[in-house]
Amino acid sequence: MSTLLLSLETSSPVCSVALHHLTTGRLVGQTELRLEKSHSSHLSVLISQLLENTLHTLTDVAAVAVSDGPGSYTGLRIGGAAAKGLCYALDVPLLAISTLQSLARQVASRTARPEQYLYCPMLDARRMEVYAALYCADGSEVLVPTPLLLDETTLAEQLGGQSLLFFGSGAAKFQPLVADNPRAAFLAGIEPSAVSVGELALAAYQRQEFRDVAYYEPFYLKEVYTTTPKGK
């Protein structure tokens, strides 16, 4: 009987894979690779190695979850294609989990008094722009994922009322702009993980929040930047 949830996280330079037991929620295993532009050639290898190391096969997988974005356009495309391919081949459902929400869960689950903060994951975009959202400790959404242009007035209303905890690849750009605000706290070293994607996907699986495999596209939030070759 298939009992495993396979989760993929490819929205950042970290390529991450995790296995959870669907019934108990137990983390069966995880693996990741920190290597720029490696997802296309290494994702399938990481999946195979994790299954082998945990003494499982693809036939044990009952559902696949993927980090939905926002994040790296190329990374999300690779993860989405891999997840859809697995779902087709195994005839199992697909779950798509917000990259920003999974980051917030990762941090809130490690915080001693999680209710004291609103959680603001920030993913680096271009120049002084980030992709960000706001979540309560229980995962409820306060601000939907949105592109933010960073300056001294960004999130001023929210910072005027409650302490916010900022983290993710874009947070360091914002820190100098609010250095004098005692309600702004920052946490370094937080990166997207397939483990937190899987934790949210376990609950989504119970709610049967499945995506249409044929038509699924990652949540890019903004269209990919393209350039026109010279002479065109």
Side-chain angles (χ1 to χ4, degrees):
M1 179 179 176
S2 301
T3 58
L4 297 181
L5 169 69
L6 172 65
S7 302
L8 314 178
E9 167 55 75
T10 59
S11 68
S12 77
V14 179
C15 187
S16 176
V17 181
L19 284 172
H20 286 85
H21 196 285
L22 271 173
T23 304
T24 65
R26 177 177 61 89
L27 177 64
V28 177
Q30 61 174 310
T31 186
E32 64 181 32
L33 181 65
R34 299 166 183 264
L35 190 63
E36 290 278 356
K37 300 180 180 179
S38 66
H39 299 356
S40 60
S41 57
H42 290 95
L43 179 57
S44 60
V45 176
L46 290 181
I47 294 170
S48 297
Q49 288 179 343
L50 180 58
L51 288 166
E52 181 179 350
N53 291 341
T54 56
L55 304 179
H56 290 287
T57 68
L58 281 173
T59 58
D60 297 319
V61 174
V64 178
V66 65
S67 183
D68 189 41
S72 160
Y73 177 86
T74 302
L76 291 172
R77 182 172 53 81
I78 292 168
K84 291 171 68 170
L86 286 165
C87 289
Y88 271 124
L90 301 173
D91 192 24
V92 299
L94 172 67
L95 299 137
I97 303 299
S98 165
T99 305
L100 293 171
Q101 189 175 19
S102 68
L103 276 170
R105 177 183 175 84
Q106 182 185 155
V107 173
S109 65
R110 299 178 182 177
T111 304
R113 292 173 50 232
E115 68 282 353
Q116 67 183 313
Y117 294 112
L118 288 180
Y119 296 85
C120 187
M122 287 183 165
L123 296 176
D124 193 14
R126 292 167 60 91
R127 301 181 180 88
M128 289 303 291
E129 192 172 29
V130 297
Y131 303 136
L134 276 178
Y135 299 94
C136 294
D138 63 3
S140 57
E141 199 172 64
V142 178
L143 175 68
V144 300
T146 185
L148 291 180
L149 187 62
L150 300 178
D151 60 29
E152 292 81 357
T153 65
T154 302
L155 298 175
E157 180 179 351
Q158 291 84 353
L159 280 166
Q162 185 170 353
S163 295
L164 269 63
L165 183 56
F166 298 93
F167 45 90
S169 60
K173 296 193 296 188
F174 189 47
Q175 189 166 5
L177 302 176
V178 290
D180 296 331
N181 192 322
R183 290 191 176 93
F186 289 81
L187 186 61
I190 302 300
E191 297 174 319
S193 167
V195 174
S196 52
V197 169
E199 290 169 351
L200 289 174
L202 288 168
Y205 182 87
Q206 296 302 320
R207 298 189 297 265
Q208 296 192 346
E209 294 175 352
F210 306 136
R211 304 294 289 269
D212 189 314
V213 177
Y215 295 102
Y216 170 71
E217 289 289 336
F219 178 54
Y220 297 116
L221 189 57
K222 291 181 67 176
E223 292 186 9
V224 64
Y225 288 93
T226 59
T227 58
T228 303
K230 292 181 179 180
K232 295 290 185 180

